Amino acid sequence: MKLDGRTPGGPLAEKWDRHRFELKLVNPANKRKFDIIVVGTGLAGSSASATLAELGYNVKTFCIQDSPRRAHSIAAQGGINAAKNYPNDGDSIWRLFYDTVKGGDFRAREANVYRLAQISNQIIDHCAAQGIPFARDYGGLLANRSFGGAQVSRTFYARGQTGQQLLLGAYSALIRQVAAGKVQMFPRREMLDLVLVDEKARGIVARNMVTGEIERHQADAVVLCTGGYGNVFFLSTNAMGSNVSAAYRAYRHGALFANPCFTQIHPTCIPVHGTYQSKLTLMSESLRNDGRVWVPKNPDDKRPPHQIPESDRDYYLERKYPSFGNLVPRDVASRNAKEQCDAGKGVGETALAVYLDFADAIQRDGKATIEKKYGNLFQMYEKISGEDPYQTPMMIYPAVHYTMGGLWVDYNLMSTIDGLFVLGEANFSDHGANRLGASALMQGLADGYFILPYTIGGYLAGTPLEDVSGEHPAFHDRAEAAAARLKKLLAVNGSRTVDDFHRALGMIMWDYCGMSRNNEGLETARGKIQQLRQEFWEDVLVPGNGADFNQSLERAGRVADYLEFSELMIIDALARQESCGGHFNEAFQTEENEALRDDENFCHVAAWEYRGRDTAPGFHKEPLAFENVELSQRSYK
Ligand SMILES: Cc1cc2nc3c(=O)[nH]c(=O)nc-3n(C[C@H](O)[C@H](O)[C@H](O)COP(=O)(O)OP(=O)(O)OC[C@H]3O[C@@H](n4cnc5c(N)ncnc54)[C@H](O)[C@@H]3O)c2cc1C
């Protein structure tokens, strides 16, 4: 298989315009003849569903939650990037493009990233017109703040609730289309499998999570907007329902999985505080605009923070990276926090934390200003930790947060299965080996509002599709297989809970495939995962039955997929014998312990093909050409 990214020709800045002109169109009257399935109602799925329906397509939208607006996107806190240059501080489309390519350690497709930067400005106009209550400056223009990996302020925000406000906008647009009869909404449905007819995606099999019924849904194209798979680590900042299953099912049917080992570990999360914790909480990167990160200089210094004088503190990010200071990208900040803790300078009871201190900012700007910017985040921190961050520094530690890997897509956002499009965090997307803060919301909305509505038309207009109903044998087969799998999970009737297996898997992944990796550890992890997978199928306990609301059964299916998918992550990490962004292999580092890329051998997207459960996956590579940005060693000094 030769991977064709279908990147259009011509100058970088003109590619998207030119491509849109060259794409075939579906005429307005014909759009109502096409059915499109959208799985997921986060920012990517809601924006796609609403826009496709507005264009005239018949849309069927699915989500796990009881309401589309409870999708994980609602948790996004800090903001969304755009190259508006409102602060007049030197931003431009080119700079956003450059920062994103560099931030991702040169492992993303140039043309996609440039298009993302171009569209970023349209997103802000669109969302402002929807009424999203973005923060404003004294003159009434939308306000901006800074995020990591950038020296300009380009992040638009609505306090610490940007995702919630953006999702309410997309949700409103979606619900308008539900009322207009153009979107049929299927909440509390879990997609269990993808259905292919003549090698094209033609529908899904879903479980009604309340009644247990297995349903068949047919369409002319399927759009997956099912989010990221950070929960493979068990503990992450993701919503509990985030999972890999829909993407993994598509992978099993021929959609290649790209860069699965690229995981983002976010530097500022509330540290783990107990063995039975099931969720981690993010403290938004926006806090690093004003918060200063430090540890005691002396590992033996156990004084409370306010008793440690300036001279005995190490503001290590400001010291090591004077240009970017506390706003270095996430991978760099996370590794540095780990390094400090490994050197014995960690603080708090577990010594796996560093301080994020607002004392200087409060003294400089006043408590009211800080409260206005971050009030809800401070409140959240206090509720969880019992400490008041206005009085004492926050304690933070890195945690799994986002997955840059995902299903491989071409410039049209189509996977290697015809008619299967993948949007938002579920695709391998535009962030390379490390996503810059506030770029996920931008990408999800770019995909849903502005890219897919063009590219899916090109596919539908240019592809002959025969009528297919849910009675087609392919639907029958997939529905039977999905039901049989649920039955098998229930039949094991062992002694260990699903969560017990999930926690064990998470620990393996965190220890061996987390912030830093080495070949020996990765090999060890592979063996441990295989062993755990076997134990799962011999000893998992799933109470209840399949004909009812059964959360253990739902989770069991997802963990079973994680137990296979995690091995793919390990295989990918082992194959990439370099360090880049979030993938840090200890054997490849500079003298200053920064990630050391090998552009000669690894300047590519690694895309994996499923070849059977007990067969090694096939490896495909999409070479990355950098024609507009010079490949260089990343430096934030
Ligand atoms: C705490 C937190 C804060 C963040 N803050 C920011 C920020 O400030 N700025 C930023 O840019 N990014 C931020 N991010 C990242 C960003 O929120 C996500 O990457 C983004 O929201 C993902 O959107 P999505 O639409 O791709 O998927 P999601 O919002 O994850 O939605 C996935 C959807 O798919 C559905 N689904 C999944 N599997 C199935 C299935 N099998 N069947 C049916 N439905 C299914 C779910 O029900 C859901 O509706 C943050 C992330 C976290 C965890």
Side-chain angles (χ1 to χ4, degrees):
M1 183 188 301
K2 189 173 177 312
L3 279 182
D4 179 3
R6 293 203 175 81
T7 303
L12 187 64
E14 291 166 26
K15 283 182 195 290
W16 178 228
D17 263 359
R18 178 180 168 153
H19 189 61
R20 280 189 296 169
F21 176 70
E22 286 171 358
L23 278 168
K24 286 192 174 142
L25 294 173
V26 180
N27 99 43
N30 283 344
K31 289 202 175 87
R32 67 176 73 98
K33 294 181 188 159
F34 290 105
D35 296 332
I36 300 173
I37 283 177
V38 178
V39 188
T41 58
L43 285 173
S46 291
S47 59
S49 298
T51 312
L52 295 173
E54 186 75 47
L55 284 170
Y57 296 109
N58 308 310
V59 181
K60 295 184 200 171
T61 304
F62 297 78
C63 71
I64 286 174
Q65 292 82 1
D66 56 346
S67 160
R69 77 186 159 82
R70 287 194 213 280
H72 157 70
S73 289
I74 204 139
Q77 301 174 348
I80 174 167
N81 286 332
K84 286 283 194 189
N85 193 30
Y86 284 161
N88 203 17
D89 57 356
D91 204 7
S92 62
I93 288 173
W94 188 269
R95 190 177 292 283
L96 173 52
F97 155 69
Y98 177 78
D99 286 349
T100 309
V101 170
K102 176 183 166 192
D105 220 351
F106 304 90
R107 291 294 175 261
R109 222 186 259 144
E110 267 192 347
N112 285 53
V113 181
Y114 193 85
R115 172 176 65 183
L116 181 63
Q118 285 176 307
I119 290 175
S120 69
N121 289 338
Q122 276 171 277
I123 298 172
I124 298 304
D125 294 343
H126 189 78
C127 294
Q130 280 178 339
I132 307 302
F134 285 122
R136 290 177 185 266
D137 67 17
Y138 69 95
L141 274 182
L142 302 186
N144 286 139
R145 57 188 174 199
S146 303
F147 263 59
Q151 287 180 308
V152 295
S153 289
R154 63 160 74 99
T155 304
F156 294 76
Y157 62 100
R159 270 197 164 188
Q161 312 165 343
T162 316
Q164 180 175 349
Q165 298 305 331
L166 291 171
L167 191 59
L168 287 174
Y171 166 80
S172 307
L174 169 68
I175 292 303
R176 178 171 171 272
Q177 295 300 329
V178 172
K182 290 304 291 178
V183 173
Q184 221 182 328
M185 188 64 229
F186 295 89
R188 292 229 160 149
R189 300 300 201 287
E190 177 154 17
M191 170 184 158
L192 295 183
D193 215 341
L194 177 73
V195 182
L196 270 66
V197 176
D198 292 335
E199 298 182 347
K200 295 184 182 67
R202 293 306 303 269
I204 64 169
V205 166
R207 178 172 180 268
N208 180 322
M209 294 161 76
V210 180
T211 66
E213 193 188 336
I214 303 290
E215 303 171 344
R216 307 167 190 189
H217 296 273
Q218 157 284 332
D220 297 295
V222 176
V223 185
L224 291 189
C225 309
T226 45
Y229 51 85
N231 282 349
V232 66
F233 290 83
F234 186 64
L235 285 181
S236 90
T237 62
N238 287 194
M240 296 296 284
S242 297
N243 67 90
V244 79
S245 289
Y248 192 70
R249 296 282 120 196
Y251 163 70
R252 286 176 59 120
H253 288 298
L256 299 197
F257 214 109
N259 302 332
C261 82
F262 285 178
T263 309
Q264 174 158 89
I265 316 264
H266 197 298
T268 56
C269 303
I270 300 183
V272 177
H273 57 260
T275 325
Y276 289 101
Q277 192 171 349
S278 55
K279 172 91 186 67
L280 290 175
T281 307
L282 174 77
M283 285 288 105
S284 169
E285 180 163 304
S286 59
L287 293 167
R288 285 195 276 145
N289 273 263
D290 288 299
R292 299 181 67 195
V293 178
W294 65 274
V295 290
K297 275 185 184 162
N298 177 356
D300 298 325
D301 192 342
K302 301 297 171 205
R303 286 175 288 179
H306 62 274
Q307 286 177 15
I308 302 180
E310 283 292 308
S311 55
D312 291 345
R313 298 175 177 194
D314 181 8
Y315 293 91
Y316 57 90
L317 291 177
E318 295 172 29
R319 172 173 58 79
K320 288 176 71 176
Y321 307 97
S323 303
F324 284 72
N326 292 297
L327 280 170
V328 288
R330 292 173 179 176
D331 56 330
V332 177
S334 294
R335 273 197 294 278
N336 273 280
K338 180 177 185 299
E339 198 177 287
Q340 296 299 328
C341 294
D342 288 352
K345 297 183 192 172
V347 298
E349 268 174 34
T350 60
L352 285 176
V354 299
Y355 290 126
L356 180 63
D357 196 337
F358 294 87
D360 286 350
I362 292 172
Q363 200 176 24
R364 185 184 64 231
D365 300 335
K367 186 179 168 196
T369 304
I370 297 301
E371 193 173 357
K372 228 172 166 179
K373 283 187 184 167
Y374 314 115
N376 70 314
L377 300 173
F378 276 46
Q379 192 188 31
M380 206 188 319
Y381 181 86
E382 187 175 0
K383 281 208 162 158
I384 293 172
S385 70
E387 291 193 335
D388 176 3
Y390 293 105
Q391 303 293 336
T392 187
M394 287 183 177
M395 280 190 272
I396 48 151
Y397 195 67
V400 172
H401 178 65
Y402 181 89
T403 43
M404 281 77 66
L407 291 177
W408 183 91
V409 288
D410 64 15
Y411 191 73
N412 292 323
L413 304 182
M414 191 161 86
S415 70
T416 44
I417 296 178
D418 281 355
L420 180 71
F421 294 80
V422 191
L423 276 55
E425 195 173 336
N427 71 25
F428 87 102
S429 87
D430 307 340
H431 310 294
N434 170 62
R435 174 176 70 81
L436 290 186
S439 288
L441 303 186
M442 170 173 73
Q443 180 231 328
L445 290 180
D447 289 359
Y449 281 135
F450 294 107
I451 301 173
L452 181 80
Y454 290 96
T455 58
I456 203 168
Y459 170 75
L460 293 171
T463 313
L465 293 164
E466 62 172 90
D467 279 349
V468 166
S469 84
E471 298 309 312
H472 190 284
F475 278 88
H476 184 76
D477 278 3
R478 290 296 94 215
E480 294 272 292
R485 186 167 183 260
L486 295 174
K487 227 168 149 185
K488 191 172 162 194
L489 284 165
L490 287 160
V492 179
N493 201 18
S495 64
R496 285 174 69 182
T497 62
V498 175
D499 270 14
D500 195 31
F501 281 102
H502 195 174
R503 188 179 293 114
L505 174 64
M507 276 162 79
I508 298 171
M509 295 304 286
W510 180 248
D511 287 348
Y512 300 107
C513 196
M515 254 186 292
S516 78
R517 303 150 182 199
N518 59 56
N519 292 351
E520 197 189 336
L522 289 166
E523 293 289 3
T524 305
R526 195 169 178 192
K528 282 177 181 273
I529 291 168
Q530 288 167 348
Q531 172 71 27
L532 191 67
R533 189 163 64 223
Q534 192 179 334
E535 285 167 24
F536 175 89
W537 284 105
E538 285 166 0
D539 198 21
V540 69
L541 173 67
V542 184
N545 62 61
D548 211 345
F549 180 64
N550 187 343
Q551 288 192 307
S552 293
L553 182 58
E554 292 160 20
R555 282 207 289 269
R558 294 173 203 158
V559 172
D561 286 333
Y562 277 143
L563 283 164
E564 291 183 25
F565 174 70
S566 51
E567 194 176 346
L568 184 67
M569 292 174 73
I570 302 289
I571 291 170
D572 185 45
L574 274 168
R576 192 170 279 282
Q577 288 295 298
E578 64 164 352
S579 291
C580 55
H583 168 64
F584 188 78
N585 184 323
E586 289 152 13
F588 308 100
Q589 47 185 310
T590 65
E591 279 175 9
E592 290 158 318
N593 307 109
E594 306 290 354
L596 183 62
R597 294 195 321 267
D598 174 354
D599 292 330
E600 211 173 303
N601 296 302
F602 294 96
C603 193
H604 60 242
V605 176
W608 299 93
E609 181 187 4
Y610 184 74
R611 290 197 176 146
R613 205 178 128 169
D614 300 316
T615 312
F619 171 70
H620 302 271
K621 100 166 94 156
E622 181 197 344
L624 292 169
F626 290 91
E627 290 160 359
N628 300 278
V629 169
E630 203 183 322
L631 278 163
S632 59
Q633 173 67 38
R634 263 189 334 165
S635 168
Y636 292 96
K637 292 189 184 297

